[in-house]
């Protein structure tokens, strides 16, 4: 069966580097846990002085609260159905939520402990958020929220996810400069509330140098990185901290093709364009210290539920036998980790996630 | 949180129709369980006289063996690392495996109970299998297998998965005719072994009429169908037996956009081209009997880890509030079910899967 191998040293190095970058730029650091989804890996952040986190759902908030985190931002527009869970959690830990419309406020009338909120603002990504120029809407949210004594406005949150749409550093800088300028202007406009500006996507947090206008960063993927981040120039391939180890099941020398056990239920269906074709992972050499670069560029070229197919394999395939293990860097480590539900570190330790207690009871 | 709703009646109807089709064509029926992955849904097949199944992995074989199935084909080239599990299972139930290379045979020397095998043959899909014209390789596998007293050759297995690459019925018929002709010729060529011909992809099993050359069909997806199958002409939209119900979290009237909680960790990243753009699900109207067609064609247009975005929403969006539930037909029900890990039937019953015992213990 495929196994997701975690290189602890690379992961710790990624955490340390981002923590240092935050410190050097006088930024607070609230890492997003949606990539690793693991209390064990969350603990590694504490050693770098991290005391607050970001999550993407209320079940994830509950999991990390049980793991001892006391300051958790649920960075996802609030779902009224989660009110009961919010109330349960906010009695015990500091929970912050995202709001991007005045329509949600009536649903928060029944919160019975203190909850702080950030307004999700849209600087051009066009996924969620109030557009940064819609000052009237922002004012209305803040004004309306004052009717609720348990609700306190803490600032603005901006995810400039359109940074993923370009690998051109100057194009990405335009996105970043607009986002931090927008946040700076909002802080100025609403200075009476002393709002914080939260920001953070891995490509920008990894590559940008000027974070003026921003108070706190919330990137997540950097903990592992992946081929997508590499393609965007956000990391080196050597920084990628997870690799899937898959058994070879069969080879088809006449067609230069190799079959691995490793499919969409392991890697996800996320793909990346490399030299004009879609790929689903890149071959590396697993060894007992983790893995090293493979001498040739070889990719997973197609994927179905359990199957992965490597095409145009060279003569390196000659020595491969069924049962041999090959390693693959994932295209999107968040989705891969979510599917695999646990990590095996290079020294053989199993690290569980939010979902893996599930796996073990089976 | 998103929930995967199962319309029991539609599902039973899909099972009944395929079972009837098999019977009318004198075909044995060995449904693939990789789509539903559920002992509960597996039981529904028994009512239609089904006594043998297909699975895609050894953990799945073990799960269905524990659920009482006595005749299980693991339709995936054998992984030597699964030898111990194979031995454990084959003592209790009839296990068949797939082989597509003589290289795997030495790894089977240590099986200690009777195991039957099918040779996976490739009629043009180019994923796995010995090419149907490589008679020498087929002969060698059969000859070499005779050295192993516990191994018995049962026939040929062909998955003509290239049927998914065309929505043109005449193109698909060419694929089907070639596959069943190839299987018929192999049966004739190797008639001394009385081999069975196993075949089965949902598009062909749903649409073809002539199954001569074939003994047993093994389709899986038909149990639920999905938007992909609909796009291929394999089902009507009314046949799709699962829909994801997702809460609306926010709306952006200025941009005709709606945010739902429903992302890549629920639907998977599988997409489908509709009118030239990629979509990730189609809006339906959930009601207390299940769901009905939505009066306008509305799709999920983009998806990230937890977010789903509906674009170009019409005036129907006016009445929508945060917390309202919307239903969506999935693009690929196998991957969606694998991620969701349980079903809620239209009468509120929870049906678990291979992975959901995991979920409950959390």
């Amino acid at each position: 069966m495929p196994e997701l191998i975690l290189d602890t040293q690379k992961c710790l190095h990624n955490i340390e580097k981002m923590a240092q970058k935050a410190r050097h730029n006088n930024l607070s650091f609230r890492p997003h846990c949606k990539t690793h989804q693991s209390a064990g890996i969350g603990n590694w952040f504490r050693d770098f002085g991290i005391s607050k986190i970001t999550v993407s759902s209320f079940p994830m908030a509950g999991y990390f609260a049980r793991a001892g985190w006391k300051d958790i931002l649920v960075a996802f527009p609030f779902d009224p159905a989660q009110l009961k869970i919010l109330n349960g959690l906010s009695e015990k830990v500091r929970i912050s939520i995202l709001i991007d419309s005045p329509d949600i406020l009536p649903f928060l009338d029944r919160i019975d402990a203190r909850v702080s909120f950030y307004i999700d603002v849209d600087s051009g990504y066009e996924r969620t958020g109030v557009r940064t120029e819609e000052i009237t809407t922002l004012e209305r949210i803040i004004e309306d929220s004052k009717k609720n004594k348990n609700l306190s406005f803490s600032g603005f949150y901006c995810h400039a996810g359109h940074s993923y749409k370009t690998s051109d550093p100057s194009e990405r800088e335009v996105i970043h400069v607009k986002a931090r300028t927008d946040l700076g202007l909002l802080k100025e406009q609403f200075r009476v509330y002393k709002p914080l500006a939260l920001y953070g996507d891995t490509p920008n947090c990894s590559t940008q140098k000027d974070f003026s206008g921003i108070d706190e960063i919330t990137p997540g993927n950097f903990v592992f990185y992946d081929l997508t981040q590499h393609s965007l120039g956000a990391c080196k391939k050597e920084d990628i901290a997870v690799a899937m180890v898959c058994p070879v099941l069969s080879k088809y020398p006449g067609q230069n093709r190799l079959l691995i056990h490793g499919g969409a239920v392991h890697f996800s269906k996320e793909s990346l364009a490399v030299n004009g074709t879609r790929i689903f992972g890149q071959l590396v050499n697993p060894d007992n210290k983790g893995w090293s670069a493979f001498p040739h560029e070889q990719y997973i070229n197609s994927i179905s539920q359990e199957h992965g197919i490597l095409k145009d394999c060279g003569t390196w395939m000659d020595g491969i036998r069924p049962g041999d293990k090959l390693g693959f860097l994932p295209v999107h480590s968040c989705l891969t980790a979510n599917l695999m539900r646990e990590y095996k570190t290079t020294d053989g330790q199993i690290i569980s996630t939010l979902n893996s207690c599930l796996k073990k009871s089976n």
Side-chain angles (χ1 to χ4, degrees), chain A:
Chain A
M1 301 297 289
E3 288 181 316
L4 188 58
I5 306 297
L6 171 61
D7 186 318
T8 314
Q9 292 313 312
K10 286 180 181 178
C11 184
L12 288 170
H13 179 70
N14 292 339
I15 297 171
E16 182 176 25
K17 231 171 98 183
M18 194 62 82
Q20 270 176 358
K21 183 161 191 176
R23 211 161 40 243
H24 292 163
N25 288 280
N26 287 316
L27 295 164
S28 170
F29 183 24
R30 183 192 282 277
H32 207 311
C33 298
K34 79 185 177 75
T35 302
H36 60 78
Q37 297 189 43
S38 163
I41 296 173
N43 285 340
W44 298 354
F45 283 85
R46 299 191 209 259
D47 297 337
F48 297 97
I50 311 305
S51 61
K52 49 193 173 182
I53 56 170
T54 307
V55 299
S56 58
S57 71
F58 273 92
M60 208 183 289
Y63 169 80
F64 281 102
R66 289 193 295 279
W69 292 91
K70 299 288 183 203
D71 187 343
I72 303 174
L73 166 66
V74 184
F76 199 65
F78 183 69
D79 174 3
Q82 304 297 312
L83 185 72
K84 201 174 152 188
I85 304 178
L86 171 62
N87 276 333
L89 279 172
S90 58
E91 277 169 17
K92 294 170 214 147
V93 303
R94 181 186 157 90
I95 292 283
S96 308
I97 61 173
L98 285 196
I99 288 180
D100 74 353
S101 158
D103 298 349
I104 198 71
L105 291 168
F107 294 96
L108 291 161
D109 283 348
R110 280 173 302 149
I111 54 172
D112 45 37
R114 195 115 186 111
V115 170
S116 69
F117 75 92
Y118 293 86
I119 302 179
D120 184 359
V121 291
D122 180 7
S123 161
Y125 181 28
E126 299 188 346
R127 184 177 69 173
T128 62
V130 179
R131 286 195 292 182
T132 48
E133 63 271 28
E134 289 181 18
I135 301 297
T136 322
T137 309
L138 297 171
E139 282 172 344
R140 198 179 137 207
I141 293 174
I142 297 169
E143 277 310 311
D144 285 6
S145 76
K146 291 177 184 169
K147 295 172 200 154
N148 187 332
K149 291 231 157 52
N150 279 324
L151 211 50
S152 65
F153 170 58
S154 294
F156 301 98
Y157 172 94
C158 176
H159 178 69
H162 43 325
S163 64
Y164 281 85
K165 292 177 185 160
T166 176
S167 56
D168 178 337
S170 59
E171 277 180 26
R172 185 165 330 109
E173 196 173 351
V174 170
I175 291 167
H176 173 69
V177 170
K178 178 172 187 317
R180 67 174 184 72
T181 307
D182 284 353
L183 285 167
L185 290 172
L186 290 176
K187 286 185 62 166
E188 177 58 23
Q189 175 104 22
F190 292 93
R191 63 186 173 278
V192 58
Y193 301 103
K194 299 196 176 87
L196 294 176
L198 273 58
Y199 177 75
D201 57 284
T202 287
N204 275 320
C205 289
S206 300
T207 60
Q208 303 299 344
K209 292 197 165 68
D210 183 350
F211 290 86
S212 44
I214 296 159
D215 297 292
E216 187 165 292
I217 56 168
T218 64
N221 179 285
F222 74 92
V223 68
F224 297 152
Y225 287 118
D226 53 31
L227 292 176
T228 299
Q229 298 292 344
H230 176 262
S231 76
L232 297 171
C235 69
K236 299 192 295 286
K237 274 199 183 143
E238 305 84 82
D239 297 329
I240 300 175
V242 284
M244 191 85 84
V245 171
C246 299
V248 171
L249 298 191
S250 199
K251 61 180 192 176
Y252 312 90
Q255 298 115 73
N256 276 322
R257 203 169 75 231
L258 203 67
L259 167 70
I260 56 161
H261 189 190
V265 298
H266 311 103
F267 286 97
S268 90
K269 270 256 170 164
E270 193 87 82
S271 66
L272 187 67
V274 173
N275 307 327
T277 56
R278 306 308 301 182
I279 64 100
F280 300 86
Q282 178 170 14
L283 182 59
V284 290
N285 250 335
D287 56 40
N288 49 19
K289 286 176 296 183
W291 58 88
S292 57
F294 193 77
H296 314 286
E297 282 206 4
Q298 180 70 55
Y299 299 100
I300 302 175
N301 301 95
S302 77
I303 218 163
S304 39
Q305 187 160 347
E306 302 267 351
H307 301 74
I309 296 291
L310 281 61
K311 291 181 184 164
D312 304 321
C313 300
T315 51
W316 66 266
M317 193 173 85
D318 296 348
I320 299 286
R321 296 182 69 205
D324 285 357
K325 302 281 179 80
L326 298 178
F328 298 92
L329 301 177
V331 169
H332 188 168
S333 59
C334 309
L335 298 187
T336 302
N338 177 69
L339 282 158
M340 294 303 290
R341 300 187 233 153
E342 67 180 26
Y343 310 94
K344 189 173 179 177
T345 66
T346 38
D347 52 1
Q349 193 197 342
I350 300 294
I351 297 187
S352 67
T353 67
L354 165 57
N355 295 314
S356 60
C357 8
L358 324 185
K359 200 164 176 181
K360 276 175 200 145
S361 69
N362 195 35

